[in-house]
Amino acid sequence: MANKLPVKQKTKVTRIAQNENSTWQISLDNSETLKAKQLVLTLPLIQALDLCYRSGIIPSDKTVTFFNQQKYHPCISLLVASDADSMIPEPGGMWFDDQNAIRWAADNKKKGISKTTAITVHISPEMSNKWYDDSEEAIFSNLDSQLKELIPGNWVHKSIHKWRYSQPTNIVDLGYLNDEYYKNLWFTGDVFLNGRVESAWLAGLRTAQALKTKI
């Protein structure tokens, strides 16, 4: 659906500003500037509010109060590539109990999205919070025996990515939030539905449907 849309990857928004005609000016870290009649922010609400404040944009009291009520669990994600098949059963996903340091693991080869064995592992919220500031080596060491049982063979790659604001804990069934003061400023994301991956898409759909009535 987005084939004809200009998508910019690995690009950070450093500032947003509203012009006299109420259109938005978005400054990027590559010195490029974009303009828009409507602005939708999908990043975690804590970061969205920080971007607004740093830009001198103060949303309505209702928006700020709602944002301040939202909390997130961090998440540590591991990626391991091996020359042998994993022990994750078909169709390629595996959940672990609440006492386990691993929350879930997925075999991207068995899921059909990788030609080689590439395993994504998400650490539980509790252990992600505990280990968040630890080094990559320390985190892999903590899980060494469990990972080697789950992912046998020679590992040809391993890496870690950390999300400070990953899993929202205070879910609301809104779909989006349209600021009362800045009428063309929208916030959406998985926190506005049930916090699952598909919720981000569904919340975006609701936002798009609401936007159609404004354009």
Side-chain angles (χ1 to χ4, degrees):
M1 292 192 306
N3 285 342
K4 296 182 180 180
L5 295 178
V7 177
K8 297 184 180 296
Q9 298 178 327
K10 299 181 179 179
T11 306
K12 183 178 180 180
V13 174
T14 57
R15 189 175 185 274
I16 58 175
Q18 195 169 58
N19 299 318
E20 292 182 359
N21 61 357
S22 295
T23 59
W24 290 99
Q25 182 170 301
I26 302 104
S27 300
L28 308 181
D29 60 355
N30 61 2
S31 300
E32 188 176 354
T33 300
L34 307 176
K35 293 183 179 181
K37 294 180 179 179
Q38 302 282 338
L39 179 60
V40 181
L41 299 181
T42 64
L43 63 168
L45 299 185
I46 295 172
Q47 294 174 316
L49 189 59
D50 178 66
L51 174 62
C52 289
Y53 281 167
R54 286 189 289 106
S55 303
I57 300 295
I58 310 300
S60 68
D61 290 343
K62 180 180 179 180
T63 298
V64 173
T65 298
F66 173 77
F67 280 20
N68 288 334
Q69 293 172 345
Q70 307 312 307
K71 306 296 180 184
Y72 291 82
H73 289 307
C75 178
I76 298 175
S77 176
L78 284 62
L79 178 64
V80 178
S82 175
D83 62 2
D85 290 337
S86 79
M87 302 304 293
I88 299 173
E90 298 285 355
M94 187 175 181
W95 285 90
F96 295 78
D97 60 51
D98 292 340
Q99 286 69 47
N100 203 299
I102 296 176
R103 170 54 57 88
W104 64 264
D107 186 322
N108 298 299
K109 181 180 179 181
K110 292 178 181 178
K111 288 171 62 179
I113 58 177
S114 173
K115 294 182 179 180
T116 58
T117 299
I119 311 302
T120 302
V121 177
H122 278 195
I123 307 304
S124 70
E126 180 182 1
M127 300 314 294
S128 289
N129 187 61
K130 182 177 180 180
W131 297 340
Y132 195 85
D133 294 322
D134 290 355
S135 67
E136 181 173 319
E137 292 75 15
I139 294 171
F140 271 105
S141 177
N142 291 336
L143 298 167
D144 185 67
S145 59
Q146 190 174 9
L147 287 175
K148 286 182 177 177
E149 182 178 341
L150 188 68
I151 314 168
N154 297 312
W155 293 1
V156 295
H157 172 84
K158 65 177 184 179
S159 60
I160 283 179
H161 185 83
K162 299 177 181 179
W163 285 280
R164 174 69 71 181
Y165 308 108
S166 174
Q167 182 181 354
T169 62
N170 185 16
I171 307 299
V172 293
D173 187 18
L174 295 176
Y176 60 87
L177 192 154
N178 185 201
D179 189 62
E180 292 181 339
Y181 182 74
Y182 296 97
K183 301 295 186 180
N184 56 350
L185 177 60
W186 306 72
F187 303 92
T188 191
D190 55 358
V191 69
F192 289 97
L193 288 177
N194 63 18
R196 302 181 60 143
V197 173
E198 61 269 26
S199 301
W201 187 91
L202 292 171
L205 178 62
R206 283 200 198 179
T207 309
Q209 291 169 338
L211 267 168
K212 286 177 63 178
T213 66
K214 304 283 187 178
I215 299 175

